[in-house]
Amino acid sequence: MIRLILALLILSLAACGGDRNGTETSDESAQSAAQSQPADAPDDAAEGESGDELPTVPEPGIEAERFAEHVATLASDEYQGRAPGTRGGRMTIDYLVRQFSEMGLAPGYGDSYLQPVPMNELTNAERSDIRVEVGGEEKVYSYPEDMVINSRRLGTDPQSVEDSEIVFVGYGVVAPEYDWNDYAGLDVEGKTVVILVNDPGFASGDENLFNGREMTYYGRWTYKYEEAARQGAAAALVVHETEPASYPWEVVVNSWSGAEFVLTSDENEPRVALEGWLTVDAARDLFTRSGQDYDALKESARQPGFEAVSLGATANAEVRNSVRSGTSYNVLALLPGEERPDEAVIYMAHWDHLGRNMAISGSDGIYNGAVDNASGTAGLLELARSHVRAGAADRSILFAAVTLEEYGLLGSRHYSNDPVFEPGQTVAGINMDALTVLGPTNDVTVVGYGASELEGILAAAAERQGRHIEQEPSPEAGYYYRSDHFNLAKIGIPALYAKGGVDHREHGREFGLEWQAEYRAERYHKPADTWSDDWDLRGVIEDLELYYVVGRHLVESDDWPEWYEGNEFKAIREESRQ
């Protein structure tokens, strides 16, 4: 990871997950839409739509030349990595407003294209070790070898815990739909909770427990802090293990060592005083000193009916932040509907990237972010152009270029706090983040496969192209919860996150896998993510056509796609639609 010396700096763990490849399938170039549906999908959803009934992209189609021009411009050195709060960020906003305006789209936020995103930058000024008293002895856990702690409470006053009882709460999950409550009968007011990463389904491998090895939102560290705060805990420490977290300890340290950002619109949200991580070695040591067996308690925590365990130890720690306020902007453009303009489909892509490292001279320090996410932003612009060519539909279409994705999905989070269309009137969201530019593929990767009926429409559209949809290869990593569509899902809106797969139509699957691996190792979140005339845009144009077809079908119909049964966002959607 990198530390950028900018007005805004930090790569959050919640930032975009980048491209993900497809899973192994047969050598056939296509499968039926019904075959592509999750096994537990309702029969009517699995049928999807007939490809013949779906709309088509108006002539001249998605234009590769225009797409390439957008990417080359936004990822040029002149735009300096598009960091919010910088000259390059302001240039990006101006470019997007100009493009949307010239297409004839209406402003999407009242009479403006700009939705202000007020935020607070929290920079750690002081961070203590964690001192634990257990069995009459003191043990010190130090940063960064053993732990990392921060606070996201606003203000410059120290945030601390003193003689705070330490309680192991298993996975720290309260999930009524799974009949699971790790806090049942427990009072953690003022206490420090220690929590396992991921969720019980991953730990057990039981497909009937949560979503099996596929992570639910209950497995994300962000949820665990939120739930601990709701329960009244003073501090929450997640135990890091590489496999269930899907990233090494180095990523935690790098991502938690710079600034944190809190939306002004979220400043009244409950938060624990201290949020942090323990290495698994530190956790084992703590449990042993408390007379407990970490592995035995971890095994117990994945069983229904688990009861929290006090470790008979107390924690002392303190953090003090410096605080700075600022504003970035989401860029919103609207194609109003003619018959039901209060109902809408949202296309979303984040325009921001990581800016530049001022410690490196010249262009070598610029994080151009061509794939991530000039590609998605360019796609958003060209989808807008195609919908304008098709004319107004029954429902409205909102094109949302959001900010601060790389800093914790904050632009989309702010939109969810201040939506242009009420969640219950928003039909669906379609997100574009780091499009696949390796060329045409037989497959379409669906991140968070098995989530909603949107996949039936996508499968039918893909079948018309001679393609099929596939699940991402690492569902246990929870990538569905790491890009902007997730904030739409959290307020109940069915959200689709799909991209080109890896089974290259001419060079095969291994070619695509190698391309993906090379991108992740050599270019993802590095200065090497630059535009090249060598990009094969045939595949990304097909992918954009799919996004167009799914969205256009929804705005020309009266369909309300649903989350599949058992999805963690289904109840939120049902309540919003009442």
Side-chain angles (χ1 to χ4, degrees), residues 378-391:
L380 183 73
L381 291 172
E382 288 312 298
L383 282 169
R385 191 183 311 279
S386 289
H387 280 288
V388 168
R389 285 170 176 160

Side-chain angles (χ1 to χ4, degrees), residues 106-130:
Y109 191 71
D111 59 359
S112 175
Y113 290 99
L114 303 183
Q115 180 184 41
V117 183
M119 61 190 171
N120 298 283
E121 178 187 19
L122 310 180
T123 302
N124 186 263
E126 295 179 11
R127 176 193 289 122
S128 74
D129 294 328
I130 298 177

Side-chain angles (χ1 to χ4, degrees), residues 250-289:
E250 177 188 13
V251 170
V252 177
V253 172
N254 288 342
S255 298
W256 281 60
S257 296
E260 295 281 343
F261 295 91
V262 175
L263 294 175
T264 302
S265 57
D266 278 347
E267 62 186 8
N268 293 322
E269 289 288 312
R271 290 188 174 87
V272 295
L274 301 178
E275 301 174 353
W277 294 76
L278 291 174
T279 66
V280 66
D281 290 340
R284 289 185 195 280
D285 180 78
L286 171 61
F287 280 54
T288 299
R289 290 173 182 272

Side-chain angles (χ1 to χ4, degrees), residues 153 160-169 183 185-195 228-229 231-237 272-274 308-311 313-315:
R153 287 184 175 177
S160 64
V161 292
E162 296 182 18
D163 299 324
S164 173
E165 180 186 350
I166 303 175
V167 182
F168 175 61
V169 294
Y183 289 96
L186 186 64
D187 180 5
V188 294
E189 188 77 28
K191 298 177 183 179
T192 295
V193 293
V194 175
I195 313 170
Q231 298 292 331
L237 302 173
V272 295
L274 301 178
V309 176
S310 174
L311 297 184
T314 59

Side-chain angles (χ1 to χ4, degrees), residues 76-142:
S76 67
D77 288 350
E78 184 181 6
Y79 280 67
Q80 300 179 348
R82 305 188 308 282
T86 68
R87 177 175 175 271
R90 292 189 293 273
M91 290 174 64
T92 304
I93 291 169
D94 291 344
Y95 182 89
L96 293 170
V97 170
R98 184 168 63 252
Q99 291 291 325
F100 284 138
S101 177
E102 289 176 354
M103 291 177 199
L105 288 166
Y109 191 71
D111 59 359
S112 175
Y113 290 99
L114 303 183
Q115 180 184 41
V117 183
M119 61 190 171
N120 298 283
E121 178 187 19
L122 310 180
T123 302
N124 186 263
E126 295 179 11
R127 176 193 289 122
S128 74
D129 294 328
I130 298 177
R131 293 184 295 106
V132 172
E133 297 283 346
V134 55
E137 297 182 354
E138 180 179 274
K139 169 63 178 177
V140 175
Y141 297 101
S142 300

